[in-house]
Amino acid sequence: MNKENMVTPAPDSQVRMYTGRISGHRRTPITWEKFMAHLKTITYHKLLVFEGCWKVGLYRQGIMHDLSKYSPTEFMVGARYYQGDRSPNNAEREELGYSSSWLHHKGRNRHHFEYWVDYNFRGKEEASPLVPVKMPGRYVVEMLMDRIAACKTYLGEAYTDDAPLNYF
């Protein structure tokens, strides 16, 4: 490689690796209390989804539901931004402009409709660059159980049967 064609930083400048985080931003700390509260919340949510899936015969999906939430990529973000009354992904999104945990989660869990969106390479130029892919019925049912469980988890005593419909 020719050294004349290489891009090099100015002699007095610092070069930092891109991390996807705001430069110089101090991240919200993880406390033991938030760590344990988040663990309790996601486990309770998972149990509610398990019960709902079990009632409709989706045994494997009930067992496997949201296991990625226990992965370090998702769990540590959840513990860091835990608030108890809403998804920690929203708090991360507010602070950073995106949610790394959500991007990880939706790409691994078929019960999220975002999993079933793909690029449109055959569409007309003015058409949307994204297209929906048909979501199998069993994942639609799991998505409903997930929404009901999330509302019960975050609303607690204030939960009503119309809460999952009012989510969006």
Side-chain angles (χ1 to χ4, degrees):
M1 181 177 241
N2 186 348
K3 280 192 165 188
E4 292 174 18
N5 294 337
M6 288 179 54
V7 176
T8 58
D12 59 340
S13 68
Q14 277 189 327
V15 177
R16 290 191 229 168
M17 184 173 82
Y18 175 71
T19 63
R21 302 273 180 203
I22 301 167
S23 180
H25 177 73
R26 187 166 167 86
R27 292 171 27 170
T28 304
I30 300 173
T31 64
W32 179 250
E33 291 77 18
K34 287 167 74 174
F35 182 96
M36 292 307 293
H38 180 60
L39 179 62
K40 180 180 173 186
T41 299
I42 63 173
T43 303
Y44 177 67
H45 167 77
K46 185 170 173 26
L47 178 62
L48 290 176
V49 175
F50 172 78
E51 290 173 352
C53 285
W54 197 266
K55 287 177 183 176
V56 296
L58 295 175
Y59 309 116
R60 184 177 188 283
Q61 283 173 252
I63 293 167
M64 302 302 289
H65 179 82
D66 276 356
L67 285 178
S68 70
K69 284 189 178 183
Y70 295 94
S71 71
T73 301
E74 293 182 34
F75 187 85
M76 297 311 280
V77 168
R80 175 171 280 117
Y81 294 99
Y82 176 80
Q83 296 161 51
D85 60 350
R86 66 185 189 135
S87 171
N89 294 340
N90 292 336
E92 182 189 29
R93 196 173 287 114
E94 288 165 2
E95 185 172 307
L96 301 178
Y98 68 97
S99 174
S100 61
S101 177
W102 171 245
L103 294 172
H104 185 270
H105 186 76
K106 70 177 180 146
R108 286 157 181 77
N109 294 277
R110 295 176 182 186
H111 64 276
H112 290 288
F113 72 85
E114 296 88 348
Y115 179 95
W116 300 95
V117 176
D118 201 1
Y119 291 109
N120 180 11
F121 287 119
R122 291 192 238 169
K124 297 176 184 165
E125 199 167 307
E126 66 274 0
S128 171
L130 301 176
V131 293
V133 176
K134 185 171 176 151
M135 188 175 183
R138 67 180 184 264
Y139 297 117
V140 174
V141 174
E142 184 183 358
M143 180 173 63
L144 174 62
M145 299 305 165
D146 185 44
R147 178 64 47 228
I148 293 169
C151 290
K152 285 181 176 180
T153 300
Y154 290 122
L155 295 175
E157 296 287 324
Y159 174 82
T160 59
D161 287 338
D162 64 341
L165 297 172
N166 295 329
Y167 180 78
F168 292 106

